[in-house]
Amino acid sequence: MQKQEEITTRLKKIFDLFLRDNFSTTDSVYFEKLITHLQAKENAFVLQVPFVTDWVDKCLTLISADFHRVHPKVISFMLNLISFMTSNEWMVLRLRELDIMHRVVFFMQAQERNFNPSIKLSGIRVMKAVTKYSMGLAFLRMQRTWMLLINYSNNEHTLYVVREARELLYEMIFKFCDKMHDEAVTLEILAEIMKPIQENVYITENTSESASGEEERIHVSVDDNELLHKISSTVDLLCYILQQTLLSEERTKLVSLLREHHNIEINIWKLVEMTHNTYFMEKMLSALCSYHFATLVHEKILNPDCGEPPEQFTEFGLAFFNLMKFCIQRNDGINFVKMAELHHILWKKLGNRVPKEIIIQDERVSFENQLICFHMMPLLFSMKFAMKMADESKSELFDTYIIKLLEMSCEQTLRLCYALRDTFITPEGRTNCNLFTPELAWKCVHSILSLEHILDREQAVTVCQALLYALREVVALNHASTHTEPEDCHGASTSNNYSDIYPRGSEVIIKDPKVLHSVMVGLRTLIERFKITWKESVETIGLVNCLAFVLENCNMDPTCTVQALKLVQLAVEHFLSPNMALLVDNLQGSALVCLGPIIIKRMHDTAWEVRDSALELTTSIACISRIKFPAFQQFLIDGKMPTIVYEMAKHDSEPYVRASAYKCLSQMVPINSIWENGLSQLDMVDHLLYVLYRENEDIVRSEAILTLSKIYDHRKIPSKYKNTLFSTLNYCVVGDHHWEVKVNALCFWRMEFNRQLNNQGMIDGSFPTVTFSKEHKKIVTLTRREVRLRVAKVLAEVQQYGYYGIILKCLQEEYSKEVLSLIATGIKAMNDKLNEYDFEIILNDIEALTQPINSPRSNPSSTIEEPMSVEQELKESELNVNSEQTDDIIESILNAQDVQLLENAFRTQMNIDNEDTAKRHIDEFYYKQFAVSVREWKQEIGKFDLDKLVRQQEEWFDCNDNLVCLLDDILNAIKRDDNMISDCY
């Protein structure tokens, strides 16, 4: 109750400040946060407080008299507040008493006021909130609010305003038409929507009368940009309404009303005839497509009186083919592809309401297959090499693929494909460069990729095969340009007269970098999403060969090179059989042999994105070489790749490349042959410790510590680095500013715990009854007392290197929720495990095993030095300049004209700084300052509520502050803004 009073008191004060004459704000975030809080269920009581309704009434009175008296953000906030208040029916009655809704609608309908988008959006939400009540819907009907919504939908408003206005407009039309069965209002709304079309399609004049009656003359404005722009938004609105009807499971009369009263199909075809503009043509054809689908759903599928068989789609199919044929006749390849894409999207929206196969003119077809053919056709027309090989009977695969396309296509589809070919390719065998362009091929691929989430596997495989053949064309073209014989990339050699092969001129499409890039992106996307293997597409067997030829091109665009490397990585991961890999001990005779020099060359590329992709490919190869494909181990060793990768990790100028190099090294470290023949001779540990201490880039340090963890886990770190290692780890936990580095360092400590426990005989989280003792060289029985001693040894060893001190420091000072969550989880798991063996007895054993820690502090974090202060002490002679020398320096500065003397005078101090900067590693005894006994640590940990600590950090990170704090922040912000304004004067 007290909290509610605090909220209402602060909120009333804020509301009063909002209505001040000179109110202004520089931060709109507080309005959004306040709206979010008031919308929450726990704060519903606020909206029912009387002063809120009174404030809304007062605000409406002010803006009705003078719109500029209230800040626009406040007006928007007030309208949003009204929309929340209408969720309570009792509040609706109160709002009705004050005539709030009528005043809001009157205010919004004042056309002379230039509202900003936030006010428009809030006003729409108010109207939307009352439509769930029949009384509210009747009110909106009386006020003819659809006029305002149509205006918002048609004019150039922001995306959010248009979207909300269209949603509300469709909801109102649907309810008036099919819920309330008010045909008069529905027709009135539809007439208002169609008004720009009806008024501007055709202009007719009655001239002199002839014997046959009146003569009618039709004037058509072709490509009248002003007219097209005027009706464009109306066509968009029609498309939206028609497409929304497809989602309804109930039959609606909207489609029949549009047909009977507005002759919508004929009128849109008239619009199509009025323009050759591709952009506006797309809008008109989209409206026709939407109308055909809406007619199919509501006049056939959902119509109980329809007597046709469910599979009979002849009328719909012919309308579709006519639409595609029109695009061909207009030489409009772009819209041809876009219409195939739109039909595919809308067909998928119908879901299970349509059968898998339909009948068009007595022919049973899969509609999606016809769409896929139209999608791919412009790309398939560019394939010269594959057709040449098929003609010479040197390639059965392409023949098989073409037969597959023929079998999945119906007669009408084939007719349109031939018509499209005749449009793109002249009778002399040359391509029409104005129609058959790289942009069209690029659009084909991207159109298919936009459908990846709705494609069936069968269609995805068909598209993937087409893209593979397109990639082979690139190889054939590159080979023809070099005039050299290939190493059996496709199983047959090519002719150097590639450009003379039918159709001549299509090589312009294949050699375009954008097309090549889109082809490789499409292949990678489809293979990853649908897990396509050689079983579905035999063509994938030659993928690595083709990409090897593509990567040999030194002049290739960097973006294409990156995609080619990523595709090689996918092929290596996806198409290598693990069963066959066990039978092969080398890569001789395969295309993988040529990958080594290519990867090394790309590792030295000038573009860092290419170097990074080459490292990712090497990482993938190293990963699968460990178990799945051991032959790759020798592949990496022969190419001296481990050494090259290490040099890139040390010296590359791009941080992302260095991070990828460390990631690659972490995959190589566990492989014995690579370690023994390359990595073991390198100074990896020394350099990694240097990187963790001196590197400025977070992502590099994060990967470096993971690489160091791999070395520590699988290899032996020299004992001379032990102190430096744990000092560096502690520095990473308490001194690094990046949470990922902290988390990785804590995971390293967790790995050290596990290693120590495993060394003491723990197996799978528990101690067995007997184990082999390395110390006594015999099998010993693990009694409960012996287990406690072994756990005590582990805790004492960890205590020696300051683990408990850094944990306490993190709990007191850390703000990262990921770090705190990991620490809390670790502490709970540790306490649960130790309580199984009686923690108090273990503490006594630890104190018996170790000497007391001489700690001059009770608070472990109170005197911890700054992490960067690595020197314990410096000689006083190096730090202090004697007074005589200081006097000489001052005199020399006063008597000199050259300001460089200041630098020379303090050269000693600069030399000291340089020595400190040149220091590679942190002080090896840095960990000692975190020395805390386990008993001390146990006592300090008991003071923390770990769950509460983590929860507070998560709430802070997610900005889930309570309403009282938010109101205080708003009051302070308003006060701060007022002070800023007063300072200006």
Side-chain angles (χ1 to χ4, degrees):
M1 191 65 182
Q2 182 180 359
K3 183 180 178 181
Q4 291 186 5
E5 292 179 358
E6 293 177 355
I7 291 174
T8 53
T9 302
R10 289 168 170 78
L11 194 61
K12 189 175 187 303
K13 188 175 182 181
I14 290 171
F15 278 10
D16 291 339
L17 292 173
F18 281 170
L19 297 183
R20 289 188 316 184
D21 291 338
N22 60 345
F23 173 78
S24 64
T25 179
T26 58
D27 190 353
S28 61
V29 176
Y30 284 122
F31 285 99
E32 298 171 6
K33 283 189 171 185
L34 185 56
I35 287 171
T36 303
H37 276 283
L38 295 177
Q39 198 175 6
K41 290 183 179 179
E42 61 268 19
N43 298 322
F45 70 92
V46 176
L47 302 178
Q48 301 176 21
V49 178
F51 82 83
V52 174
T53 310
D54 296 338
W55 180 82
V56 168
D57 181 45
K58 182 178 179 181
C59 184
L60 272 174
T61 303
L62 289 174
I63 62 177
S64 298
D66 185 359
F67 166 63
H68 299 286
R69 289 186 62 182
V70 182
H71 195 278
K73 290 291 182 183
V74 177
I75 298 176
S76 175
F77 172 78
M78 179 267 297
L79 293 172
N80 279 306
L81 195 63
I82 295 174
S83 66
F84 301 152
M85 294 168 70
T86 56
S87 60
N88 187 321
E89 293 190 41
W90 294 106
M91 289 303 300
V92 173
L93 295 175
R94 174 61 177 156
L95 294 175
R96 187 180 180 185
E97 291 175 1
L98 296 173
D99 201 21
I100 296 294
M101 288 305 304
H102 183 271
R103 292 155 67 188
V104 167
V105 172
F106 178 78
F107 171 74
M108 297 300 299
Q109 288 177 335
Q111 299 293 333
E112 70 276 3
R113 291 170 181 159
N114 187 19
F115 299 139
N116 65 23
S118 62
I119 295 177
K120 296 174 183 176
L121 193 61
S122 304
I124 294 171
R125 287 172 179 167
V126 172
M127 291 185 280
K128 189 174 183 178
V130 299
T131 55
K132 58 184 176 181
Y133 305 112
S134 57
M135 178 177 60
L137 201 60
F139 170 77
L140 296 179
R141 177 182 179 277
M142 292 174 58
Q143 299 296 322
R144 296 169 56 86
T145 52
W146 58 80
M147 301 287 290
L148 181 64
L149 296 175
I150 293 172
N151 179 38
Y152 286 168
S153 299
N154 285 343
N155 292 333
E156 295 180 347
H157 298 283
T158 63
L159 174 67
Y160 300 101
V161 173
V162 172
R163 184 176 60 190
E164 293 280 346
R166 286 178 178 176
E167 288 179 2
L168 179 56
L169 183 61
Y170 173 74
E171 184 179 349
M172 290 174 61
I173 295 175
F174 182 77
K175 287 183 177 180
F176 285 138
C177 180
D178 299 299
K179 298 298 181 182
M180 303 174 66
H181 303 290
D182 194 337
E183 187 173 318
V185 174
T186 306
L187 287 175
E188 187 177 352
I189 298 175
L190 293 177
E192 190 63 33
I193 294 173
M194 294 291 294
K195 188 176 180 180
I197 295 177
Q198 297 284 17
E199 291 180 350
N200 294 285
V201 175
Y202 284 163
I203 301 174
T204 61
E205 293 181 0
N206 292 330
T207 59
S208 61
E209 295 185 2
S210 61
S212 58
E214 292 186 348
E215 181 182 353
E216 188 177 75
R217 188 172 62 194
I218 301 177
H219 296 273
V220 181
S221 299
V222 179
D223 279 340
D224 185 341
N225 288 327
E226 183 179 352
L227 173 60
L228 291 174
H229 185 77
K230 184 177 182 180
I231 62 180
S232 176
S233 56
T234 299
V235 175
D236 286 339
L237 178 57
L238 274 176
C239 281
Y240 176 82
I241 293 173
L242 291 169
Q243 290 178 19
Q244 284 297 108
T245 63
L246 303 182
L247 304 177
S248 174
E249 295 295 334
E250 302 178 27
R251 189 187 178 197
T252 178
K253 294 174 62 179
L254 284 175
V255 180
S256 60
L257 291 177
L258 282 170
R259 182 180 64 252
E260 295 168 4
H261 294 270
H262 298 283
N263 205 5
I264 181 172
E265 185 174 12
I266 299 299
N267 279 329
I268 293 177
W269 274 116
K270 289 179 181 180
L271 294 176
V272 171
E273 294 296 335
M274 292 170 62
T275 180
H276 286 268
N277 185 297
T278 304
Y279 174 74
F280 290 109
M281 181 80 71
E282 178 193 351
K283 292 181 178 292
M284 311 310 171
L285 296 180
S286 298
L288 281 172
C289 173
S290 304
Y291 172 74
H292 293 153
F293 270 93
T295 304
L296 173 68
V297 171
H298 296 285
E299 301 300 319
K300 175 179 172 60
I301 298 175
L302 298 180
N303 186 4
D305 300 327
C306 180
E308 287 184 340
E311 299 86 5
Q312 187 61 251
F313 280 72
T314 298
E315 184 178 350
F316 170 79
L318 292 179
F320 161 68
F321 288 124
N322 287 335
L323 207 62
M324 304 303 288
K325 184 178 180 180
F326 176 81
C327 294
I328 297 174
Q329 291 173 341
R330 281 288 185 94
N331 298 331
D332 193 349
I334 297 294
N335 276 331
F336 181 86
V337 176
K338 287 183 177 179
M339 286 304 103
E341 178 184 349
L342 180 60
H343 276 84
H344 213 135
I345 293 171
L346 297 183
W347 183 263
K348 280 296 184 180
K349 282 187 177 183
L350 303 185
N352 297 326
R353 291 181 288 181
V354 291
K356 186 72 176 176
E357 292 185 345
I358 61 176
I359 298 175
I360 300 176
Q361 287 188 327
D362 300 327
E363 188 175 2
R364 185 174 293 274
V365 298
S366 171
F367 188 67
E368 292 180 57
N369 285 344
Q370 316 312 307
L371 296 171
I372 286 296
C373 284
F374 290 145
H375 269 298
M376 299 186 303
M377 204 51 60
L379 188 64
L380 291 173
F381 286 151
S382 63
M383 295 183 184
K384 303 164 62 167
F385 174 76
M387 290 188 292
K388 179 176 179 292
M389 293 296 100
D391 291 342
E392 297 175 359
S393 301
K394 295 179 181 179
S395 176
E396 296 181 1
L397 288 179
F398 191 70
D399 280 343
T400 305
Y401 180 64
I402 294 300
I403 292 172
K404 176 182 177 180
L405 293 179
L406 292 173
E407 289 176 346
M408 60 189 280
S409 305
C410 69
E411 179 186 346
Q412 294 293 337
T413 300
L414 293 174
R415 288 180 182 275
L416 288 178
C417 290
Y418 280 117
L420 189 64
R421 182 203 62 181
D422 295 339
T423 303
F424 287 165
I425 304 173
T426 64
E428 294 77 22
R430 298 197 62 85
T431 57
N432 189 334
C433 298
N434 296 325
L435 301 177
F436 196 22
T437 60
E439 288 74 18
L440 178 59
W442 176 82
K443 175 60 184 174
C444 287
V445 180
H446 278 264
S447 176
I448 294 172
L449 292 183
S450 68
L451 305 172
E452 62 168 308
H453 59 289
I454 61 174
L455 275 180
D456 289 341
R457 184 178 180 81
E458 178 186 352
Q459 284 91 40
V461 172
T462 303
V463 173
C464 184
Q465 290 174 297
L467 296 177
L468 285 166
Y469 283 114
L471 188 62
R472 290 179 62 175
E473 294 295 321
V474 177
V475 177
L477 176 61
N478 289 342
H479 168 65
S481 62
T482 57
H483 299 283
T484 57
E485 291 297 325
E487 297 181 7
D488 193 26
C489 177
H490 305 295
S493 63
T494 64
S495 168
N496 287 337
N497 297 323
Y498 180 86
S499 59
D500 295 332
I501 304 174
Y502 176 89
R504 291 185 295 276
S506 64
E507 59 273 8
V508 176
I509 294 171
I510 292 299
K511 67 183 181 183
D512 188 271
K514 287 185 178 181
V515 176
L516 175 59
H517 180 268
S518 62
V519 166
M520 290 190 290
V521 169
L523 278 171
R524 190 163 64 92
T525 303
L526 294 175
I527 292 172
E528 282 182 336
R529 184 174 184 86
F530 295 96
K531 309 298 181 195
I532 299 172
T533 65
W534 62 270
K535 296 178 182 179
E536 293 91 5
S537 174
V538 183
E539 292 86 352
T540 56
I541 295 175
L543 179 58
V544 176
N545 305 52
C546 290
L547 292 169
F549 274 91
V550 170
L551 287 168
E552 284 289 352
N553 182 4
C554 299
N555 298 320
M556 189 163 58
D557 187 79
T559 56
C560 293
T561 307
V562 169
Q563 287 304 322
L565 289 169
K566 289 182 180 296
L567 197 51
V568 171
Q569 178 183 347
L570 180 64
V572 169
E573 294 172 350
H574 204 70
F575 297 133
L576 295 183
S577 170
N579 297 329
M580 291 300 295
L582 298 175
L583 305 176
V584 179
D585 59 354
N586 63 70
L587 302 176
Q588 296 302 320
S590 71
L592 299 173
V593 176
C594 63
L595 276 182
I598 292 174
I599 294 174
I600 293 172
K601 182 173 70 173
R602 293 304 179 182
M603 282 180 174
H604 295 84
D605 199 281
T606 55
W608 73 265
E609 298 93 342
V610 176
R611 300 198 301 273
D612 189 62
S613 298
L615 283 171
E616 289 179 358
L617 172 58
T618 309
T619 304
S620 179
I621 292 174
C623 181
I624 66 173
S625 71
R626 187 180 179 190
I627 297 174
K628 182 180 177 182
F629 212 102
F632 270 131
Q633 296 178 14
Q634 194 61 40
F635 168 83
L636 295 171
I637 295 170
D638 292 343
K640 296 184 175 12
M641 290 189 193
T643 306
I644 297 174
V645 172
Y646 179 61
E647 290 301 317
M648 294 177 72
K650 290 178 68 174
H651 303 301
D652 199 279
S653 59
E654 180 60 42
Y656 291 103
V657 176
R658 298 203 300 275
S660 295
Y662 285 120
K663 188 181 295 184
C664 185
L665 290 172
S666 66
Q667 292 294 334
M668 293 180 175
V669 165
I671 303 172
N672 292 330
S673 60
I674 295 180
W675 177 261
E676 294 165 1
N677 293 284
L679 296 181
S680 61
Q681 288 83 30
L682 304 175
D683 57 340
M684 284 187 65
V685 175
D686 184 86
H687 181 69
L688 287 168
L689 292 174
Y690 165 76
V691 167
L692 292 175
Y693 180 50
R694 289 296 186 187
E695 176 62 51
N696 294 325
E697 298 293 338
D698 300 339
I699 187 173
V700 178
R701 296 197 308 276
S702 179
E703 292 297 336
I705 198 168
L706 291 177
T707 307
L708 188 63
S709 302
K710 287 280 189 178
I711 296 175
Y712 190 72
D713 192 26
H714 294 89
R715 307 298 164 194
K716 202 174 215 182
I717 290 183
S719 56
K720 65 178 181 179
Y721 290 114
K722 189 169 185 180
N723 290 341
T724 306
L725 170 65
F726 288 106
S727 292
T728 305
L729 280 180
N730 291 352
Y731 164 68
C732 288
V733 174
V734 301
D736 203 289
H737 61 270
H738 188 51
W739 69 267
E740 283 189 64
V741 180
K742 293 172 180 283
V743 167
N744 292 339
L746 288 171
C747 290
F748 194 114
W749 268 113
R750 182 173 290 184
M751 182 179 65
E752 172 64 10
F753 262 105
N754 292 331
R755 169 181 277 201
Q756 294 286 350
L757 289 169
N758 291 337
N759 290 341
Q760 294 298 328
M762 178 177 280
I763 300 175
D764 295 333
S766 62
F767 286 95
T769 54
V770 294
T771 188
F772 180 78
S773 173
K774 294 181 181 179
E775 183 180 354
H776 300 291
K777 307 295 183 185
K778 64 179 182 179
I779 296 176
V780 296
T781 302
L782 294 182
T783 62
R784 192 166 183 81
R785 172 62 182 161
E786 180 66 22
V787 169
R788 290 196 192 109
L789 284 173
R790 289 173 179 259
V791 173
K793 285 181 183 179
V794 173
L795 297 180
E797 179 71 17
V798 174
Q799 169 186 294
Q800 176 185 351
Y801 290 103
Y803 171 76
Y804 306 110
I806 63 170
I807 292 299
L808 290 177
K809 184 173 177 65
C810 282
L811 289 175
Q812 292 165 353
E813 300 182 4
E814 182 58 49
Y815 299 104
S816 171
K817 67 173 185 176
E818 292 85 2
V819 175
L820 288 177
S821 178
L822 183 64
I823 290 175
T825 304
I827 291 174
K828 289 177 183 177
M830 185 177 181
N831 287 338
D832 293 342
K833 183 62 66 176
L834 293 177
N835 288 332
E836 294 179 9
Y837 304 110
D838 198 332
F839 204 171
E840 194 61 37
I841 298 177
I842 292 176
L843 290 176
N844 295 331
D845 291 337
I846 294 172
E847 291 170 353
L849 289 170
T850 59
Q851 296 179 355
I853 296 176
N854 296 322
S855 178
R857 63 194 183 280
S858 58
N859 186 346
S861 64
S862 59
T863 60
I864 290 177
E865 300 177 10
E866 289 296 321
M868 294 304 292
S869 302
V870 298
E871 299 289 349
Q872 295 296 320
E873 58 183 23
L874 292 171
K875 295 179 181 179
E876 292 185 4
S877 61
E878 293 178 344
L879 288 175
N880 299 321
V881 180
N882 57 49
S883 58
E884 295 180 3
Q885 185 179 359
T886 304
D887 294 338
D888 293 339
I889 292 170
I890 295 173
E891 290 295 328
S892 64
I893 293 173
L894 293 174
N895 296 329
Q897 300 296 324
D898 190 358
V899 295
Q900 295 296 329
L901 289 176
L902 184 63
E903 178 182 348
N904 296 329
F906 287 95
R907 191 179 299 278
T908 303
Q909 281 81 348
M910 293 180 68
N911 289 335
I912 293 174
D913 294 338
N914 290 335
E915 290 174 5
D916 180 68
T917 304
K919 186 174 177 63
R920 286 184 59 81
H921 300 143
I922 197 169
D923 177 49
E924 63 176 325
F925 299 113
Y926 174 75
Y927 67 84
K928 288 188 175 181
Q929 60 185 294
F930 299 101
V932 175
S933 67
V934 182
R935 187 179 294 278
E936 246 185 292
W937 175 79
K938 175 71 173 173
Q939 292 172 353
E940 291 292 329
I941 287 296
K943 299 177 183 178
F944 291 96
D945 186 343
L946 298 177
D947 292 332
K948 182 179 178 181
L949 194 62
V950 174
R951 188 170 58 253
Q952 285 177 346
Q953 292 299 319
E954 289 177 346
E955 290 178 353
W956 175 83
F957 183 81
D958 297 332
C959 300
N960 291 333
D961 47 354
N962 59 52
L963 183 54
V964 176
C965 295
L966 176 63
L967 295 176
D968 288 336
D969 289 343
I970 294 174
L971 287 170
N972 292 331
I974 295 174
K975 183 178 180 181
R976 184 174 62 250
D977 291 340
D978 290 344
N979 292 336
M980 290 175 61
I981 293 173
S982 61
D983 290 342
C984 293
Y985 293 99

